Amino acid sequence: MMNDCIFCKIVNGEIPANFVYSDEDVAVFRDVNPQAPTHLLVIPKQHIASSAAVDKDSGVWDKLLGCAVKIARELNLEEDGYRMVINTGSQGGQTVPHLHLHLLAGRNLGWPPG
């Protein structure tokens, strides 16, 4: 855990969040600034700064993506579709230095994403 990381503080209960799912490795909660009717953040509970810092053999991707797909199915997002986004670095749009996946649905998500 990083002491100044907002997502680590959410995982540890120091900052409230609207959790959709949580297990020993992954947490899923609603984004406080939603960009779509459904906008969830899927994060590893272990602090990892970004996708660039993921060890290829860690299993993080299996857990993160597997959880996102599981939640999308449970929320019946498959019929109309959804988008998963992982921003990396400042030019990639990452604003919180903790790996997270955005799960967006509920409106037409145009392309390119801006």
Side-chain angles (χ1 to χ4, degrees), residues 83 107-114:
R83 180 174 292 166
R107 69 170 175 83
N108 189 357
L109 300 166
W111 196 262

XYZ file of all heavy atoms in Angstrom, residues 83 107-114:
74
model
N -17.234 -1.008 -22.741
C -15.844 -0.710 -23.067
C -15.008 -0.854 -21.810
O -15.413 -0.435 -20.731
C -15.709 0.709 -23.615
C -14.269 1.064 -23.983
C -14.180 2.427 -24.662
N -14.815 2.319 -25.973
C -15.147 3.372 -26.718
N -14.926 4.598 -26.290
N -15.715 3.200 -27.893
N -24.283 3.861 -22.767
C -24.470 4.869 -23.809
C -23.588 4.495 -24.976
O -22.712 3.642 -24.873
C -24.134 6.271 -23.302
C -22.662 6.524 -23.023
C -22.410 8.021 -22.768
N -21.046 8.312 -22.385
C -20.022 8.463 -23.223
N -20.209 8.333 -24.517
N -18.821 8.739 -22.771
N -23.819 5.137 -26.115
C -22.993 4.897 -27.279
C -21.621 5.513 -27.030
O -21.498 6.722 -26.834
C -23.638 5.509 -28.528
C -22.934 5.107 -29.801
O -21.918 4.401 -29.769
N -23.457 5.549 -30.914
N -20.613 4.692 -27.011
C -19.243 5.140 -26.746
C -18.533 5.313 -28.089
O -18.142 4.342 -28.717
C -18.522 4.115 -25.855
C -19.194 3.899 -24.491
C -18.664 2.659 -23.824
C -18.993 5.117 -23.600
N -18.414 6.547 -28.522
C -17.849 6.840 -29.828
C -16.379 6.473 -29.967
O -15.701 6.150 -29.005
N -15.910 6.534 -31.200
C -14.508 6.246 -31.516
C -14.018 7.271 -32.521
O -14.768 7.602 -33.433
C -14.378 4.831 -32.083
C -12.953 4.375 -32.062
C -12.090 4.407 -33.099
C -12.240 3.855 -30.949
N -10.868 3.931 -32.706
C -10.935 3.585 -31.382
C -12.555 3.602 -29.629
C -9.961 3.071 -30.555
C -11.580 3.084 -28.814
C -10.302 2.822 -29.265
N -12.853 7.824 -32.416
C -11.853 7.546 -31.388
C -12.255 8.164 -30.054
O -13.036 9.104 -30.000
C -10.573 8.181 -31.931
C -11.036 9.279 -32.831
C -12.362 8.814 -33.390
N -11.670 7.641 -28.959
C -12.102 8.033 -27.633
C -11.592 9.376 -27.137
O -11.877 9.745 -26.041
C -11.600 6.903 -26.743
C -10.439 6.367 -27.467
C -10.739 6.530 -28.923
N -10.835 10.122 -27.857
C -10.456 11.467 -27.417
C -9.359 11.538 -26.546
O -8.569 11.948 -25.994
